[in-house]
Amino acid sequence: HARRIEGIDKNIWVDFTQLAADYKVVNLGQGFPDFSPPSYIQEALCKAVNGGCSMHQYTHAFGHPPLVSILAKFFGRVVGHEIDAFEDILVTVGAYQALFCTFQALVDEEDEVIIIEPFFDCYQPMVKMAGGKGVYVPLRPGGKALTSADWVLSSEELASKFNPRTKAIVINTPNNPLGKVYKREELQVIADLCIKHDVVCISDEVYEWLTYDGAKHVKIASLPGMWERTVTIGSGGKSFSATGWKVGWAIGAGPIVKHLKTVHQNSVYHCATSFTLTLAPTQEAVAQGFQREYELFGTPESYFLQLPEMLNQKRKKLATCLESVGLQPILPEGGYFMISDISSFKVDLNDPSTQDEPYDYRFVKWLIKEKGLATIPVSAFYSPEHRKDFQNYIRFCFVKEDSTLNAAEDILRKWS
Ligand code: PMP
Ligand code: GLN
């Protein structure tokens, strides 16, 4: 095998999704809704599928024109910068492929990429596959650390990681798994360093609509001097509760995005027709969804307002439950995950097959096998070198029906 895939064969989603399926659990693991997307977007998809021949043939290589047009209009308004639909946007197979194209296009051998921990796990293998080196800087819990806002970066520590080899920094706001929503001042510190050291910022914002208790999502691309050096990643699956659709995008200045297109046109562009078959109608449906959001933006009918309102109830419900059974949660300001401290929850983990694994991996496996509840170990969101220091948290997903959350609550209450 090629050196570039050395040591990245293990994948948390492959392993734990399989385990959850094997044991028929109540699933608060992998992050997907167990309820339907809004009906208007399902109708848009049906209409697109039945919309005649053109919906089933190749579309524009870098994004179905109605989709890039509305994304440009919609995000132009949000970011406060004119976006060119055909220069500044690349539509991809989920946010995953947008990230993959970005790293492949911008990172060279020996380049360093700063990654803030905890981070969505795929950044590390993707940087490695591009030949780069991940340089990690942790968010550290301060004070009582009861909410994700208490987890902060040290500006000095962050600054010390920038050097002439630094090519990019990856941020994720709202963050998966912690739920941190970076404040404008925190983003400004990062932006100043990017500008000072001529570094690109890759900003993963797939949960941008999901913020709670007045936390406000700020796009780093909207800060002065940052449009030119930021690639913003988004996801139709996350925006419209349709994760299986795998429609994502990268948005940024044309001179950067053109390199992402080079990767895309030489990889996925040559993929099987069936790929395009599924993608064109879903792109059309996501375009319709954004068109509707564009018209309803800021009104009570906007799904981007309704979804976080609904999720806020679920977030509180899960937090109350975890607190009452002694699994102290860190209340997230955004996203649809909540991490919880398992250190005072003593269980007898005597499964010899998991002896060599991190404590949280063993705990989660035990929870699946013995209690029928699936979650995700948080050390998976740390670099291999820091994983051992963060084995005391597990992640719960709350984008679930109340009946699913009730079933999880039953399990936790019976056992505690
Ligand atoms: N980034 C983050 C932070 C995620 O949680 C996910 C998982 N949805 C992705 C990217 C990938 O998104 P997609 O499903 O659109 O590929
Ligand atoms: N982003 C989702 C999560 O964090 C799903 C990840 C995946 O399926 N690869 O759970």
Side-chain angles (χ1 to χ4, degrees), residues 11 13 29-32 96 120 176 207 238 337 381 395:
N11 181 288
W13 311 110
Q30 192 186 24
F32 64 91
Y96 256 101
F120 184 53
N176 176 8
Y207 302 105
K238 298 288 170 181
F337 305 108
F381 301 89
R395 190 196 80 171

